[in-house]
Amino acid sequence: MRKKNYPILVGLLLALSTTAPAAEKAQAFTRADLAAAATLRERALTDATAYALVESLTTEVGPRPAGSPGDQAAVAWAQREMQRLGFANVGTVDAFVPHWVRGEAEFSVLAPFPQSMPTLALGGSVGTGSEGVEADGVMVKDLDALAALPPGAVKDKIVFFSNRMERTRDGSGYGKAVAVRAGGPSAAAALGAAAIVIRSIGTSDSRFPHTGATRYTNAAPRIPALAISNPDADALVRQFESGKPVRLKLRSSSRDLPPVRSASVVGEVPGTDRAGEIVILGAHLDSWDPGVGAIDDGAGVAIMMGVAKLIRELDVKPKRTVRVVLFANEEFGTSGSLAYLAANEAEAPRHVLGFEADFGAGPVWRLASRVNPAQLPVVEQIYHALAPFKLVRGDNEAHGGADLEGLSKLGMPIIEPGLDGTKYFDVHHTANDTLAQVDPQALRQSVAAFAVSVWLGAQYSGTWERVTTEKAPRR
Amino acid sequence: MRKKNYPILVGLLLALSTTAPAAEKAQAFTRADLAAAATLRERALTDATAYALVESLTTEVGPRPAGSPGDQAAVAWAQREMQRLGFANVGTVDAFVPHWVRGEAEFSVLAPFPQSMPTLALGGSVGTGSEGVEADGVMVKDLDALAALPPGAVKDKIVFFSNRMERTRDGSGYGKAVAVRAGGPSAAAALGAAAIVIRSIGTSDSRFPHTGATRYTNAAPRIPALAISNPDADALVRQFESGKPVRLKLRSSSRDLPPVRSASVVGEVPGTDRAGEIVILGAHLDSWDPGVGAIDDGAGVAIMMGVAKLIRELDVKPKRTVRVVLFANEEFGTSGSLAYLAANEAEAPRHVLGFEADFGAGPVWRLASRVNPAQLPVVEQIYHALAPFKLVRGDNEAHGGADLEGLSKLGMPIIEPGLDGTKYFDVHHTANDTLAQVDPQALRQSVAAFAVSVWLGAQYSGTWERVTTEKAPRR
């Protein structure tokens, strides 16, 4: 997890914390700010708001993929709940979202050992027509292995990508494995393949195929793309390893419909003397369709709404405006956050600090950031305010998340209370993303850690300086 | 777990083991018998045969519900593998089996909060026709709660049974909860219900509905019966608890086809001076269709074949004949074991001792029995031979399993190395019954514990006396 420059940073911070006078350290936050942070922390640990929100969203709305009736219902739900919680300036920012319809999918091994396996089409995959696609199979580990095959090796074949994702706490295993989902179809099609099947980008041994967006390039035909679960992928590997020819068949009725209008939902806890500065709290309202979107991203929605609710209930008002934005369509191209950025182009510099929760239901285990180095001591003080949670001190190369990427590229600082992703990819983008996967205690801890961080971010007495790419490279 | 008479038994056994002369204890088994038991135990702990068998069965045959092509393929597989392992007298015992076809099933909540939920038809359920069944829902906990409703309460309604099964090591939670699956449809139909939906009889919070046989009586119309997973049942409970009317819709294309011929598969390790006495090792070859039948009952098949293989490879031959019987159709009325009993009616008394493995892939955690009290000291000696496994000493009221029930009722003693069922019902009868659920080490331990028990059962120098119901009541 630690990057090369981390020991240097630590040294710098230690030096600061031991040599800087106490008065200088205290300048960032008043005693009242720190007392309010402690109040937030304590209240959050017993507050049922976030869990009730994710329960309500998953029970009353359920799946809400871009363009679906659930997507529309979620927008209405979010406005209603923000108003109920007393947020100010509740409104929407329109966005056009793709409207891909999953339909049904089937995958079978015809030879050597006939078996059907549960499957899901990758998001955006073209369908096969009712007759399906039947062809010999070719197994490769990943995109590199595909590229290394001799010419013609996958012509008219169905390519099976067998590589398994690694389990990690910070989700880095996902980044390493997911390329095949986005790029596999076009890479295989460019070599003449008829279709692809991937091992799900997930860590569970339960029989849930995953889904997630694929991206066709214009340089190759669009071919169907399905995913199968880890245990089925293992079984398919055994079929290939029998040495006998493997014959596969797949069918999918996926199809694209015209894009439709959806919306991101915005609500605020208005600031006072620095009300023009916005601390943005991002999560996404859409979900994939096989599950009910509890951990992705009902939990993030609940954490951010829970944080703003607790801040609103403090006796003191925040200096800066705390703005919750529940983005439309994170999953299928982030058109919601792109539309938000376009609609707020002039106001982008007013977004002085960002938080994003899109990695499950916690607990928070680390505090990372991507701030101007001048504000690293401020992050350090926030870290101290989080001491009861015994977090790991992360580096200054945090990514934030997909929905704040646009603002982040414009130099907005990010503070990242890191959600523990050890089990996240057991469930992510599968039918098993249900409320049962949300641990209420971990969720409350996450709200507490975010609440303290957001509050202090909003109260910081100085200026959140912009981040330049040179100084804080993206991981 | 302990029954009322257990302390008395323990006292008796302790008395025997401390007061009986060593020579008397040793009469049951020779030193060579015990040495061979130790050899079996050691070899089993490193033997890969059982895992390879369940891997082969699940990969090459996969789902094998009664009457399906997989069922036929499993019969061929079992004969081939028994011959490959060098078993004697490999053959089949024909059985007619039901041929129910699952088709597709859908379940949706239409109001108050529209959601679709993954579902499975209960085994044997009638279909709904293509139009499905739509009706108001009535939630009850269980059959008692249904019976307590006022007259007319479920007329033309869809009844949802919400009771949740309890997790236990010995599977006793299943027995308490499963009545609704077998009896729910007819009980609700007798009160005029249009269909039922049950919470799966399982312990997992993953989103896998379970299946399993239901039993219609002739006293009520046959109505469709589906199951939903625990997280979906929780969500449906929340919909009911909203206080708003709940409207449900289900559809199933299940149908019955005429029964077909299948077979149980038999193979032996022939005995020597008591070859006419049979120690029967039962497991079942069929499985439910959503998974690949790894824990139910591929593991049992593998354990019993692995045990017989290890006994066959000993330098000494068993006194009694060890007969492995892989029964057809345990899941859907045990017609395989009934046909075996009918075909072996005259030979039933020659079945002097029985073992059954139909409760997953282990490990073995307990040794129970259902023997004539005269042989309890023998069981005690077997328990001592299993000392390295630190098993719990169970009572003398073991059930064995469904396939040995007929022979057991005729007085055949049972020795039961108890497989740990703590996680069994997370997977049982769901799509998640895959090879990934089999822990190779637990499976080897199970083979070892069964092998020692079976071997000593076959070598016992005395007579396995019959069991009378009065002395050993069924649990």
Side-chain angles (χ1 to χ4, degrees), chain A residues 55 57-63 106 113-115 118 205-208 231 234-235 238-239 290-292 431-432 434-437, chain B residues 55 57-63 113-115 118 205-208 231 234-235 238-239 290-292 431-432 434-437:
Chain A
E55 178 179 297
L57 179 60
T58 54
T59 306
E60 300 179 24
V61 177
E106 295 170 5
F113 310 120
Q115 291 222 21
D205 274 325
S206 287
R207 206 180 189 193
F208 291 111
D234 291 339
R238 292 193 292 273
Q239 295 229 17
V292 296
N432 202 29
T434 73
L435 186 65
Q437 304 301 321
Chain B
E55 178 179 297
L57 179 59
T58 54
T59 306
E60 300 178 24
V61 177
F113 309 120
Q115 291 223 23
D205 274 324
S206 286
R207 206 178 189 195
F208 291 111
D234 291 339
R238 292 193 293 272
Q239 295 231 17
V292 297
N432 202 28
T434 73
L435 186 64
Q437 305 299 322

